[in-house]
């Protein structure tokens, strides 16, 4: 939209390019790239065969599968409820709306360890919520379900905050036109609104997924941490470190780093697609 | 990542029109949806928050206060403040510089740069800690060198600061970049053509244009810096009263059967979170006009 | 704006003054394992008072606690410990090997193989012992959930594991196949595998998970004391292991920091009558029972104990890689609970 009108390229008259870019690259390099390079070099030092053996160790695979599986479930829950929350916040006026809007960001502001102990005290078999789930045979804390709860909490704002601005900009006249042409509300919803929201929704989903896959602080309190069952990949890195197994820790970390790269790449593609195709998005 | 942070102000400038029935849902559906949202958020967001305060006050107010003024807790609070006081300004300066370079100029490799700035968001915090152990740990690349010169990084304040900077690295930059891109550089060009120096232009034109976005970025950066657990846990060494930040102190108390004390310190962090949200909401409300103007530039 | 800045600075200064720590003459760092928190809290205060009267100097002892293996890793990575008081010989050996900051003969430098206190492994069950757990075979009964931490990261869990192995060796007359079968079955009953002893205790007593906690004797007594004898009972199995948590001076660090004198005095004081009394008071079995209060000693049940130097294990140098190394017995038998 506005960004699009400015895709011209020309020499800028503004000063400070060298200074700001130089500082940016130097700082980025020192704080982020050099440390990450240390990880890459360390894992490269393992040799391909050894790296492959460590990365495909059954316990590593189980941990990665768990991290991904639970993050996917959490991101999906958040995609559904996030879209709903955004819809309600943008389209409806009701008592407490501003309050709701403010608390959406709570997971960004609340330290993950605090979230972890709070959720554990709620969902443990003798907790506020857990005591009602226990008789039903539902086990949340110390089971993969607990991981999903924690990940849902920490990644909740992403979908809401990506969908919200796009929803606010969707032209009501399109909906009116659809209605005038005889479309039912459901048809309008799925043929007009959902397609327009899709890029933002996918972006939010991918962001939530990226955040959830790497989450550590809130999960370790609630997970139970059983190898093969409820041991997430970041925890496995810590455990390998504690076992003096630097090679193992580095290998798992390198796999996760590669995954983070891929996810970021996908997110960027989604955002570019959304800008190109729909003219809005981030 | 930028979208969810920069999205909030837009909404405020745009009052919602009450649509005709053809473009909205039946009242019953609306009530049901709003109710569902309340239930979902109440269950997932509010309940954990309430639990923190209830558990913290379980032992009574005096036990609560005693847990907070205990020397190790105070030391943890002090360390957390120090770390945030270094990490946040550092990332703020970086964020402004990066946003200036990315938003005001066109150059090759820009999208790669933006991707790299985003990278710490999707790297697991544990890895953020691990990389510094690999670099500066006694067995790491620079370990022997640092040891020979008596420099302590890992298991000391510098390591904790570095890990925190890594984790909170993109917050300010990602808040400013989209906004400054939208604003373009017309104002700055005008100021320069009127004879202002580059620095004056930046100080008097650019900064005022982005001040609210900058403040949001700093607020979120600060909340994360004070609350970071995973990365700091790997590099801290967990020395009571020395290298324990507040989140780590919470974990330690939790492991000492001092549940009420753990939740008491946790409640301070929760209060910080609430304060952050309240300030953010207040700014949005109070300066809605100014924010809309920033956007509309 | 300027006034705001000034008042902000004043506020920060006031906050700083409030939270700034007292400055001590000498500071020692004791890197220890999980369940010793309460012991060293009491002992550090006693030692500081003792050191003050002996030398006139003020000493502050800082503590770092965590799973024993994790703590050893931190020291190897550069944590500046003056003394280490860990759960296992193997963990101190690892520091000695990796850093050279502790001489290889560290175990002979202090009395009683550098173990001023010992402990053993017992069971903690819920009040009334509803599952009727009295000995090791009861742990693998249908429906019994066992809580124990991960032997890969927790020193206490390694002692627990070896105690179970000692039982299995006796019960199956050394039939290794059957012994492994028992161990595998035991770990199939474990629903939560925490990384440290304290985490496991929290899971069992606070979260109400599991029917029995296999843990340090001192940890079981402490749980009873902290959380009420009306909720839990200690069960002593027919056979257990004599756990010897060792202590060592980290020579490389104390010489650099100039804290050798205080650090040596600190370790020696653990063997003193007062040190031994505090050890027993905090539920550890003192190396010199004569120094302890009789009432404290009377609490310890009499158990048949094997030691790590028993031919069954052949010392830590042999037991560590055989059982807990990568691909060792634990890796082979471990199948998680369903």
């Amino acid at each position: 939209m506005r960004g699009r009108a400015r895709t011209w390229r020309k020499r800028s008259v503004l000063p400070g390019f060298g200074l700001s870019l130089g500082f940016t690259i130097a700082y980025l390099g020192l704080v982020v790239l050099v440390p990450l390079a240390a990880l890459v070099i360390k894992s490269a030092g393992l040799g391909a065969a050894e790296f492959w053996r460590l990365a495909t160790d059954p316990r590593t695979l189980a941990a990665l599968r768990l991290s991904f599986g639970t993050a996917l479930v959490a991101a999906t829950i958040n995609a559904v409820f996030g879209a709903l929350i955004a819809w309600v916040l943008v389209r409806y006026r009701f008592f407490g709306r501003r309050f709701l809007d403010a608390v959406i960001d709570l997971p960004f502001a609340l330290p993950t360890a605090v979230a972890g102990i709070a959720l554990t005290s709620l969902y443990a078999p003798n907790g506020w919520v857990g005591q009602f789930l226990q008789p039903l045979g539902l086990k949340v804390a110390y089971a993969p379900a607990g991981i999903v709860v924690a990940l849902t909490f920490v990644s909740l704002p992403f979908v809401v905050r990506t969908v919200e601005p796009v929803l606010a900009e969707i032209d009501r006249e399109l909906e009116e036109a659809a209605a005038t042409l005889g479309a039912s509300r459901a048809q309008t919803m799925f043929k007009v609104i959902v397609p327009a929201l899709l890029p933002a929704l996918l972006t939010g989903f991918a962001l939530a997924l990226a955040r959830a896959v790497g989450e550590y602080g809130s999960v370790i309190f609630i997970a139970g941490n059983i190898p093969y069952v409820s041991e997430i990949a970041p925890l496995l890195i810590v455990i390998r470190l504690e076992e003096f197994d630097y090679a193992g820790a580095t290998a798992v970390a390198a796999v996760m780093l590669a995954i983070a790269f891929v996810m970021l790449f996908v997110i960027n593609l989604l955002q570019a697609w959304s800008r190109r195709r729909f003219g809005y998005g981030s | 990542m930028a979208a969810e942070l920069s999205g909030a102000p837009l909404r405020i400038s745009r009052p919602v029109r009450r649509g005709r029935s053809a473009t909205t849902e039946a009242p019953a559906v609306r009530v049901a949806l709003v109710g569902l949202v309340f239930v979902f958020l109440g269950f997932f967001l509010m309940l954990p928050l309430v639990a923190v305060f209830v558990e913290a006050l379980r032992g009574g107010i005096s036990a609560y206060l005693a847990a907070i003024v205990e020397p190790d807790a105070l030391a943890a609070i002090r360390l957390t403040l120090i770390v945030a006081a270094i990490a946040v300004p550092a990332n703020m300066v970086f964020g402004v510089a990066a946003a200036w370079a990315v938003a005001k100029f066109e150059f090759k490799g820009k999208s790669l740069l933006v991707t790299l700035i985003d990278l710490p968001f999707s790297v697991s915090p544990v890895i953020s800690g691990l990389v510094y152990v690999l670099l500066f740990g006694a067995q790491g690349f620079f370990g022997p060198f640092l040891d020979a010169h008596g420099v302590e990084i890992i298991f000391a304040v510098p390591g904790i600061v570095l890990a925190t900077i890594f984790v909170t690295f993109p917050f300010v930059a990602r808040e400013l970049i989209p906004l400054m891109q939208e604003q373009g550089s017309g104002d700055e060009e005008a100021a320069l053509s009127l004879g202002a120096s580059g620095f004056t232009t930046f100080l008097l034109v650019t900064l005022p244009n982005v001040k609210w976005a900058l403040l949001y970025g700093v607020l979120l950066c600060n909340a994360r810096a004070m609350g970071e657990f995973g990365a700091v846990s790997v590099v801290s060494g967990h020395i009571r009263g020395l290298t324990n930040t507040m989140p780590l102190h919470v974990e330690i108390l939790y492991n000492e059967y001092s549940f009420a004390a753990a939740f008491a310190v946790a409640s301070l962090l929760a209060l910080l979170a609430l304060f952050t949200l309240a300030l953010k909401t207040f700014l949005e409300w109070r300066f809605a006009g100014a924010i809309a103007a920033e956007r509309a530039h | 704006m300027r006034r705001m800045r000034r008042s902000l600075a004043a506020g920060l200064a006031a906050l700083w003054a409030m939270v700034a720590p007292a400055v001590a003459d000498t500071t020692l760092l004791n890197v220890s394992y999980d369940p010793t928190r309460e012991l060293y809290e009491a002992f550090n205060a006693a030692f500081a008072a003792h050191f003050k009267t002996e030398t006139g100097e003020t000493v502050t002892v800082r503590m770092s606690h965590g799973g024993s293996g994790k703590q050893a890793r931190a020291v190897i990575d550069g944590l500046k410990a003056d003394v280490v008081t860990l759960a296992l010989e193997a963990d101190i050996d690892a520091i000695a090997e990796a850093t050279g900051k502790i001489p290889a003969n560290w175990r002979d430098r202090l009395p009683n193989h550098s173990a001023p206190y010992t402990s053993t492994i017992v069971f903690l069950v819920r009040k009334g012992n509803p599952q009727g757990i009295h000995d090791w075979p009861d742990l693998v009964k249908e429906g019994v959930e066992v809580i124990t931490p991960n032997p890969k990261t927790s020193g206490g869990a390694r002692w627990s594991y070896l105690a179970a192995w000692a039982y299995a060796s006796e019960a199956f007359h050394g039939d290794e196949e059957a012994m492994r079968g028992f161990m595998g079955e035991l770990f199939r009953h474990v629903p939560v595998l925490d990384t440290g002893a304290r985490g496991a205790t929290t899971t069992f007593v606070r979260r109400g998970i599991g029917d029995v906690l296999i843990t340090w004797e001192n940890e079981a007594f402490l749980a009873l004391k902290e959380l009420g004898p009306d909720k839990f009972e200690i069960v002593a199995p027919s056979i257990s292991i004599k756990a010897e948590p060792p202590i060592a001076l980290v020579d490389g660090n104390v010489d650099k920091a100039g804290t050798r004198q205080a650090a040596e005095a600190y370790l020696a004081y653990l063997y003193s009558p007062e040190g031994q009394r505090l050890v027993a008071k905090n539920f550890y079995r003192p190396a010199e029972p004569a120094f302890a209060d009789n009432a404290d000693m009377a609490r310890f049940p009499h158990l048949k104990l094997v030691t790590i130097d028993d031919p069954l294990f052949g010392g830590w140098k042999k037991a560590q890689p055989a059982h807990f190394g990568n691909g060792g017995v634990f890796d082979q038998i471990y199948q998680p609970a369903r």
Side-chain angles (χ1 to χ4, degrees):
Chain A
M1 215 173 47
R2 272 173 298 227
R4 201 180 187 188
R6 300 205 177 269
T7 48
W8 40 253
R9 283 168 179 268
K10 68 170 197 184
R11 276 187 63 84
S12 177
V13 296
L14 294 181
F17 176 66
L19 180 69
S20 61
L21 188 68
F23 176 72
T24 301
I25 290 175
Y27 187 83
L28 178 77
L30 279 179
V31 174
V32 177
L33 298 185
V34 168
L36 288 179
L39 175 63
V40 174
I41 292 171
K42 189 97 183 171
S43 52
L46 295 173
E50 175 70 359
F51 180 83
W52 182 251
R53 191 185 65 75
L54 290 167
T56 57
D57 171 69
R59 187 161 160 199
T60 306
L61 289 181
L64 287 170
R65 205 176 300 128
L66 179 73
S67 275
F68 261 93
T70 49
L72 265 177
V73 176
T76 309
I77 294 175
N78 278 332
V80 173
F81 279 92
L84 174 67
I85 293 167
W87 178 264
V88 166
L89 284 177
V90 172
R91 288 298 175 94
Y92 303 156
R93 285 295 168 274
F94 53 90
F95 177 76
R97 195 190 69 94
R98 188 178 291 280
F99 171 75
L100 271 197
D101 190 30
V103 298
I104 295 291
D105 284 331
L106 184 68
F108 282 154
L110 193 70
T112 52
V114 176
I117 61 170
L119 290 171
T120 309
S121 74
L122 286 177
Y123 289 95
N126 56 3
W128 294 0
V129 181
Q131 59 182 314
F132 299 111
L133 299 176
Q134 173 95 333
L136 304 173
L138 291 174
K139 199 173 162 205
V140 176
Y142 314 111
I147 304 178
V148 172
V149 170
L151 295 182
T152 305
F153 179 88
V154 297
S155 63
L156 189 136
F158 287 99
V159 174
V160 182
R161 291 305 189 218
T162 39
V163 169
E164 231 180 344
V166 178
L167 195 54
E169 297 212 348
I170 286 184
D171 209 333
R172 276 285 176 104
E173 264 135 44
L174 273 178
E175 289 170 56
E176 280 168 21
T180 326
L181 294 170
S184 74
R185 187 66 190 147
Q187 279 173 319
T188 312
M189 185 66 90
F190 287 103
K191 296 245 155 102
V192 177
I193 298 173
V194 169
L197 285 185
L198 200 59
L201 200 58
L202 282 176
T203 306
F205 176 82
L207 285 169
L209 186 66
R211 174 80 163 82
V213 167
E215 175 57 17
Y216 174 75
S218 60
V219 175
I220 53 158
F221 288 97
I222 202 170
N225 307 332
I226 312 235
Y228 301 99
V229 176
S230 53
E231 180 181 74
I232 54 166
L235 176 67
L236 185 59
I237 296 176
V238 172
I239 288 182
R240 291 293 187 219
L241 267 184
E242 292 176 1
E243 294 172 2
F244 310 119
D245 184 2
Y246 281 82
T250 313
V252 182
V255 171
M256 291 203 67
L257 185 64
I259 290 167
F261 259 120
V262 171
M263 308 252 308
L264 262 187
F265 183 66
V266 170
I267 291 168
N268 277 357
L269 281 185
L270 280 171
Q271 286 181 334
W273 174 56
S274 125
R275 263 196 302 273
R276 231 179 13 252
R277 171 110 191 266
F278 298 91
Y280 40 63
S282 36
Chain B
M1 186 62 59
E4 101 280 350
L5 300 178
S6 56
L10 264 179
R11 203 172 51 253
I12 285 153
S13 60
R14 221 168 283 267
V16 173
R17 288 164 292 164
R18 288 206 179 271
R20 300 192 318 263
S21 65
T23 58
T24 187
E25 289 73 37
V29 177
R30 296 212 306 248
V31 169
L33 290 182
V34 171
L36 189 60
V37 165
F38 266 102
V39 169
F40 180 81
L41 292 182
F43 206 70
F44 270 98
L45 290 188
M46 297 315 292
L47 203 57
L49 194 63
V50 171
V52 170
F53 290 101
V54 170
E55 295 275 346
L57 292 170
R58 189 159 270 184
I61 290 280
S62 56
Y64 178 83
L65 290 177
I68 288 169
V69 300
E70 190 256 344
D72 287 341
L74 288 180
I77 294 171
R78 186 171 61 103
L79 178 61
T80 302
L81 292 177
I82 294 171
V83 169
I86 301 171
V88 175
N91 281 336
M92 190 172 89
V93 171
F94 163 76
V96 171
W100 181 264
V102 168
K104 304 290 184 193
F105 302 95
E106 292 298 329
F107 54 91
K108 279 217 170 95
K110 186 153 107 174
S111 57
L112 176 68
L113 182 65
V114 173
T115 306
L116 289 176
I117 290 173
D118 269 344
L119 192 57
F121 268 135
S122 52
V123 170
S124 176
V126 169
I127 296 179
S128 323
L130 171 69
V131 291
Y132 287 107
V133 173
L134 291 178
L135 270 187
F136 302 123
Q139 315 292 312
F141 290 108
F142 300 123
F145 173 82
L146 293 173
D147 196 48
H149 293 77
V151 182
E152 284 186 57
I153 293 187
I154 297 300
F155 309 124
V157 177
I160 298 173
V161 171
L162 279 175
T164 305
I165 288 182
F166 186 106
V167 172
T168 58
F169 181 81
F171 278 85
V172 177
R174 290 308 293 161
E175 185 66 9
L176 291 181
I177 288 172
L179 176 65
M180 282 168 65
Q181 273 175 333
E182 278 187 18
Q183 288 177 348
S185 37
D187 286 1
E188 283 83 358
E189 280 160 19
L192 286 172
S193 71
L194 292 173
S197 75
F199 187 66
T200 313
T201 306
F202 170 75
L203 218 54
L204 297 181
V205 177
T206 311
L207 267 191
N209 272 346
V210 298
K211 57 180 180 288
W212 301 120
L214 184 61
L215 190 59
Y216 286 147
V218 167
L219 272 178
L220 287 169
C221 181
N222 183 58
R224 183 74 197 269
M226 290 191 172
E228 177 50 27
F229 176 79
V232 172
S233 168
V234 176
V235 297
S236 141
H238 305 269
I239 307 169
R240 274 193 93 126
L242 201 65
T243 62
N244 273 326
T245 61
M246 287 170 79
L248 297 180
H249 193 59
V250 168
E251 188 204 19
I252 284 193
L253 291 171
Y254 189 81
N255 280 336
E256 285 178 1
Y257 305 124
S258 313
F259 294 101
F263 278 101
V265 178
S267 74
L268 287 186
L269 288 166
L271 282 176
L272 169 77
L274 289 178
F275 174 75
T276 304
L277 294 185
L279 190 60
K280 181 172 174 291
T281 309
F282 171 77
L283 289 171
E284 280 172 9
W285 167 74
R286 175 69 180 74
F287 299 102
I291 293 166
E294 250 179 42
R295 296 260 139 198
H297 245 81
Chain C
M1 191 69 188
R2 178 165 298 167
R3 192 191 300 161
M4 203 171 91
R5 206 175 301 157
R6 197 178 302 155
S7 59
L8 190 70
L12 282 178
L15 202 63
W16 180 273
M18 192 178 77
V19 296
V23 183
D25 296 344
T26 310
T27 306
L28 294 179
L29 174 59
N30 177 358
V31 173
S32 194
Y33 62 111
D34 254 331
T36 58
R37 293 162 201 260
E38 292 74 14
L39 165 65
Y40 282 112
E41 201 176 318
F43 178 79
N44 291 348
F47 172 71
H50 163 81
F51 199 69
K52 182 91 181 171
T53 50
E54 287 283 303
T55 65
E57 280 178 48
T58 309
V59 63
T60 307
V61 185
R62 295 201 181 279
M63 296 303 304
S64 171
H65 293 279
S68 188
K70 163 184 169 176
Q71 295 294 79
R73 193 274 297 176
V75 176
I76 290 173
D77 273 335
L79 184 58
K80 298 273 182 287
D82 296 290
V83 300
V84 285
T85 55
L86 296 178
L88 297 176
E89 211 184 301
D91 288 328
I92 299 185
D93 280 339
I95 299 172
E97 272 164 34
T99 66
K101 285 179 176 172
I102 301 175
N105 69 341
W106 63 270
R107 224 182 154 208
D108 307 324
R109 296 196 297 177
L110 287 165
N112 206 23
H113 298 304
S114 290
Y117 43 79
T118 64
S119 190
T120 185
I121 297 297
V122 296
F123 302 158
L124 191 68
V125 298
R126 303 197 184 280
K127 190 74 190 175
N129 199 354
Q131 294 276 8
I133 290 159
H134 302 290
D135 200 3
W136 293 102
D138 299 325
L139 302 183
V140 296
K141 283 194 302 195
E142 185 69 28
V144 171
E145 284 191 334
V146 179
I147 304 296
T148 184
N150 183 349
K152 289 273 195 167
T153 52
S154 158
R158 270 177 240 177
W159 290 112
S160 300
Y161 169 101
L162 293 176
W165 186 259
Y167 158 77
S169 166
E170 210 179 64
F172 302 109
H173 311 290
D175 174 359
E176 178 121 1
E177 199 60 33
M179 289 158 72
R180 285 173 186 235
F182 173 77
M183 297 303 289
E185 189 59 31
L186 178 61
F187 277 92
R188 257 189 296 284
H189 286 255
V190 178
V192 182
L193 205 63
D194 287 284
T195 54
R198 188 49 64 86
T201 313
T202 304
T203 300
F204 181 74
V205 300
R206 180 75 182 180
R207 300 291 161 227
I209 308 266
D211 303 302
V212 52
L213 174 72
I214 314 178
T215 190
W216 297 96
E217 181 182 55
N218 52 285
E219 183 77 354
F221 273 114
L222 185 71
L224 229 52
K225 179 183 156 207
E226 295 278 332
L227 300 141
D230 53 327
K231 294 197 188 104
F232 304 100
E233 285 176 19
I234 291 176
V235 172
S238 64
I239 182 170
S240 191
I241 193 162
K242 183 181 181 187
E244 297 166 291
I247 62 175
L249 186 75
V250 187
D251 298 55
N253 288 345
V254 292
D255 287 342
K256 205 160 184 178
T259 48
R260 178 178 275 273
Q261 184 217 356
E264 281 179 345
Y266 181 75
L267 293 185
Y269 196 59
L270 270 171
Y271 291 92
S272 73
E274 176 62 11
Q276 291 286 297
R277 200 183 65 78
L278 285 173
V279 155
K281 191 145 263 19
N282 284 281
F283 312 110
Y284 289 83
R285 298 186 178 211
E288 289 291 341
F291 293 138
D293 294 349
N294 285 335
D296 290 338
M297 291 306 293
R299 298 180 297 198
F300 298 121
H302 290 283
L303 283 169
K304 181 180 172 192
L305 299 175
V306 295
T307 71
I308 186 70
D309 296 316
D310 191 282
L312 174 62
F313 304 118
W316 273 113
K317 293 244 183 323
K318 208 174 134 211
Q320 169 70 26
H323 286 276
F324 310 113
N326 253 337
V329 178
F330 178 74
D331 275 349
Q332 294 165 32
I333 58 112
Y334 185 72
Q335 292 289 325
R338 309 254 165 242

